[in-house]
Amino acid sequence: MGYLDNSIVTVDAILTNKGRQLLAQGNFNITQFALADDEIDYTLYNPTHPSGSSYYGEAIENMPLLEAFPQETQMMKYKLVTLPRGTARLPILDLGYTNIIIKQGASLAITPQTLNYLGGNTYESSGYTATISDVRLFNTFEGVGINTPQAQALNQTTTLGTSVSKTVVGTTINLRATTINTLFGTNTQLTATLTVEGRDSGARLTIPVTVTKIS
Amino acid sequence: MASFNRLDPSDFVISSDAISATLWSTQTPQLSTFFTSSTQEVGSSGDYYLSVYQTGSTLSNAAVQFDIAYGNALGSGSLVYNSIINGLSPTATIFGQYQDLVLGDENTNFTFGAITSSEFYAISFERARYKNALLLGSLTLQIKGPIAASGSVTLTDNSGYISTVTFTEAGRVFQLVSGSAGTANTSRQASGYTTDSGSYGWLLPDIGTILLNPKALSAPTSSGGIGFVYSGSATGSSVPNISPMATLYQAISGSANFQINSQETITSDYIFIRARSSEFNYSENPSFISGSTGEVLYNSFINSPQTYITTIGLYNDTNELLAVAKLSRPLPKNFTSEALIRIKLDF
């Protein structure tokens, strides 16, 4: 990791780990793009700058940016979105939980809702992408409600290994906490994060997840 | 409302660019210090070739720059494998190896200029050094004669002087001529060859190899040679006191002037990203929002939002992030501006 030379405007493009995986499988096919403003703190924008509007973004426009990370979960966190001019409120996600505490072996269904979207509060037609940072915490982690081939292909992907993330797509995310005691070791709980993103709106929310041991 | 834009086929451009660079590990155009490894020289591989380093072979930054081999159809220049079978020795193996690789015919000898030869010296560059190919017109190889009166000869390739490229089983082949850096010395012969012994050898850029013509090097100074001869045992019946490879090594290291560049073709995908004036003017960045209800941070952002592009994500149809590009500084975006960004993906 290092800072990019900002004396000239250049673009540093790399493949993500997922991109390398798909390239090796012969399934590397870029079809769309999104823009993001990761690293930008808009509180640095100063619309009352005494020198005028040319200086409002002074604290942002010359900042050095970090190089790209190959981990796809660490990039494109905050997407830029296209909304009608005059939008006063941006879409935000409501999962019904600000954090999840679930007992070992218990089940939970999460149905995300997008607020301030398409004139009100609604469920996105393309569904939601949910990523659990450590898939070992759940015996079941699945998305239901979206039946496109692409979504089904993603949901059927088997994630192997230890302490790796898993991503599913659906309008509802079903969870069932692990029943394996050995995962806890001497601890009484396991923690991870759940990141949900609206596939249409780009709205994103990350909440902590805790699985508590019962025996 | 959308956060993804589809790419059109016209947004993709594929380009192949040739990149040249210095060949040596020293990152300098000229290699002027040469070292060998006594371990390699006396080992089993030493019968076939001699590895040349840019620094002492035991040092941590030592790297093989090229190997010198000698091929002889009759097996001269090295000890035979079995004393009851004359003519089969490492030099005969080397000769057959290059015959197969370059000529593709075990019954054909090498023709340097118009002179046929049943022997050659081979300089084979390390693959990591020359990358895809040797850069034409970049060669300057000075070889010192055995005595001061012999002087030295400086060689280059004739790629800049021919209208038709000749191909062998090993790709393109160019003649070695007197001269430097692609410029031939035509004072003796218009072709840059020796008077009677043909060209000085071949440059085979596609396999990173130089073949030297011993007859040309051994010619007298008046004919364009330097009187270079292999001084070791001429037969295969006794252990040579010095190998042909070591003889050439001394002639090259003695002149301390070896220049050649590498060439690499990099294929890049260029993807053009267009953000129109009405697009991407709001952000899901938490600092863009004030409070928990999604209100924009500043009232001025309602009608005149200002965003900053830092990252471009390239996705497939299932919204999987395949590649990312970072700008070197934030690019302002609002309803009165458009952005056109060219992303380069190297493979």
Side-chain angles (χ1 to χ4, degrees):
Chain A
M1 187 187 81
Y3 286 104
L4 292 161
D5 175 8
N6 71 355
S7 59
I8 55 172
V9 177
T10 59
V11 175
D12 172 37
I14 63 166
L15 299 188
T16 62
N17 294 338
K18 174 62 73 176
R20 292 186 187 283
Q21 177 193 344
L22 294 179
L23 184 64
Q25 295 171 351
N27 293 324
F28 188 87
N29 188 23
I30 293 170
T31 59
Q32 52 185 347
F33 73 92
L35 305 177
D37 58 4
D38 298 357
E39 303 180 48
I40 298 295
D41 177 2
Y42 284 94
T43 61
L44 297 172
Y45 188 82
N46 182 7
T48 59
H49 195 292
S51 299
S53 57
S54 298
Y55 293 87
Y56 289 175
E58 180 183 43
I60 296 175
E61 289 168 10
N62 290 313
M63 68 179 286
L65 297 175
L66 294 168
E67 292 176 312
F69 308 124
Q71 291 84 6
E72 59 273 9
T73 55
Q74 300 302 318
M75 300 296 295
M76 301 298 294
K77 288 183 175 176
Y78 309 121
K79 292 190 181 68
L80 300 183
V81 293
T82 300
L83 291 167
R85 195 167 195 166
T87 299
R89 290 184 175 184
L90 289 166
I92 56 174
L93 290 190
D94 178 12
L95 303 184
Y97 304 91
T98 55
N99 65 79
I100 294 174
I101 301 175
I102 187 170
K103 290 181 180 177
Q104 195 180 1
S107 297
L108 181 68
I110 299 172
T111 304
Q113 188 180 23
T114 308
L115 312 182
N116 311 327
Y117 179 55
L118 298 178
N121 302 338
T122 187
Y123 303 100
E124 297 186 25
S125 59
S126 296
Y128 298 84
T129 298
T131 302
I132 187 73
S133 61
D134 186 349
V135 72
R136 297 176 306 168
L137 270 62
F138 294 97
N139 285 349
T140 301
F141 183 74
E142 64 179 11
V144 296
I146 299 295
N147 297 317
T148 63
Q150 293 86 358
Q152 289 178 332
L154 189 60
N155 290 343
Q156 288 167 4
T157 301
T158 302
T159 304
L160 299 174
T162 59
S163 187
V164 295
S165 65
K166 183 178 182 181
T167 300
V168 296
V169 171
T171 53
T172 297
I173 312 301
N174 292 326
L175 312 174
R176 182 168 178 262
T178 182
T179 55
I180 301 173
N181 281 333
T182 53
L183 277 178
F184 290 85
T186 57
N187 301 316
T188 57
Q189 60 184 31
L190 299 171
T191 59
T193 59
L194 175 67
T195 300
V196 179
E197 185 175 332
R199 284 162 60 84
D200 293 327
S201 68
R204 175 189 174 107
L205 182 62
T206 299
I207 61 172
V209 177
T210 304
V211 177
T212 56
K213 192 175 182 182
I214 59 173
S215 61
Chain B
M1 153 126 192
S3 55
F4 292 96
N5 273 21
R6 300 291 297 181
L7 289 162
D8 293 329
S10 60
D11 293 329
F12 294 86
V13 175
I14 297 175
S15 171
S16 293
D17 298 317
I19 308 295
S20 62
T22 57
L23 184 142
W24 313 116
S25 298
T26 56
Q27 306 299 322
T28 55
Q30 179 177 341
L31 187 66
S32 53
T33 57
F34 303 81
F35 296 83
T36 58
S37 163
S38 57
T39 304
Q40 187 268 330
E41 191 172 7
V42 301
S44 58
S45 65
D47 293 336
Y48 297 89
Y49 61 88
L50 183 65
S51 295
V52 180
Y53 299 76
Q54 89 286 14
T55 187
S57 62
T58 57
L59 298 179
S60 60
N61 62 337
V64 174
Q65 306 300 298
F66 58 90
D67 297 311
I68 300 173
Y70 173 71
N72 189 301
L74 303 176
S76 297
S78 61
L79 191 64
V80 293
Y81 294 119
N82 190 316
S83 58
I84 62 172
I85 302 175
N86 197 23
L88 279 185
S89 69
T91 60
T93 299
I94 292 291
F95 189 86
Q97 180 183 38
Y98 278 89
Q99 225 178 6
D100 183 72
L101 179 69
V102 179
L103 304 175
D105 181 355
E106 73 278 13
N107 297 313
T108 304
N109 280 331
F110 293 83
T111 303
F112 301 114
I115 302 298
T116 300
S117 176
S118 58
E119 61 173 337
F120 59 80
Y121 288 94
I123 297 174
S124 178
F125 296 95
E126 278 285 296
R127 219 295 303 163
R129 304 278 90 75
Y130 75 84
K131 300 183 176 69
N132 286 164
L134 301 173
L135 180 66
L136 299 179
S138 67
L139 173 65
T140 299
L141 170 59
Q142 189 173 8
I143 300 176
K144 187 180 178 184
I147 57 174
S150 306
S152 63
V153 63
T154 306
L155 307 178
T156 189
D157 62 82
N158 71 343
S159 59
Y161 294 85
I162 57 172
S163 56
T164 304
V165 176
T166 304
F167 285 84
T168 67
E169 292 292 320
R172 298 169 294 169
V173 59
F174 299 92
Q175 302 292 333
L176 293 184
V177 298
S178 174
S180 62
T183 303
N185 176 2
T186 57
S187 59
R188 182 181 299 105
Q189 295 276 353
S191 62
Y193 296 177
T194 60
T195 306
D196 305 309
S197 304
S199 73
Y200 292 90
W202 285 358
L203 175 72
L204 299 158
D206 298 322
I207 61 168
T209 299
I210 289 173
L211 298 183
L212 292 172
N213 175 12
K215 286 181 182 173
L217 297 178
S218 65
T221 307
S222 58
S223 299
I226 53 173
F228 173 86
V229 291
Y230 167 48
S231 58
S233 171
T235 71
S237 60
S238 61
V239 179
N241 58 341
I242 183 171
S243 71
M245 296 82 82
T247 309
L248 180 64
Y249 165 74
Q250 291 172 356
I252 293 174
S253 62
S255 63
N257 182 10
F258 197 172
Q259 302 178 43
I260 192 163
N261 286 352
S262 66
Q263 189 174 44
E264 183 176 23
T265 301
I266 295 179
T267 300
S268 303
D269 265 1
Y270 289 101
I271 303 172
F272 290 89
I273 301 296
R274 291 178 180 81
R276 302 187 188 285
S277 60
S278 61
E279 298 172 334
F280 302 109
N281 295 319
Y282 293 89
S283 171
E284 286 293 336
N285 190 313
S287 70
F288 196 85
I289 299 169
S290 172
S292 59
T293 57
E295 293 167 346
V296 294
L297 180 61
Y298 304 112
N299 287 336
S300 62
F301 277 6
I302 295 175
N303 285 309
S304 300
Q306 176 68 62
T307 57
Y308 291 92
I309 303 167
T310 63
T311 314
I312 301 106
L314 302 172
Y315 293 82
N316 62 10
D317 279 335
T318 56
N319 291 2
E320 291 174 299
L321 181 59
L322 305 185
V324 286
K326 290 293 294 280
L327 300 181
S328 56
R329 58 182 166 199
L331 182 63
K333 179 73 184 70
N334 54 47
F335 274 106
T336 61
S337 67
E338 294 203 347
L340 176 60
I341 303 164
R342 188 182 73 165
I343 297 174
K344 185 182 177 192
L345 265 178
D346 292 334
F347 293 100

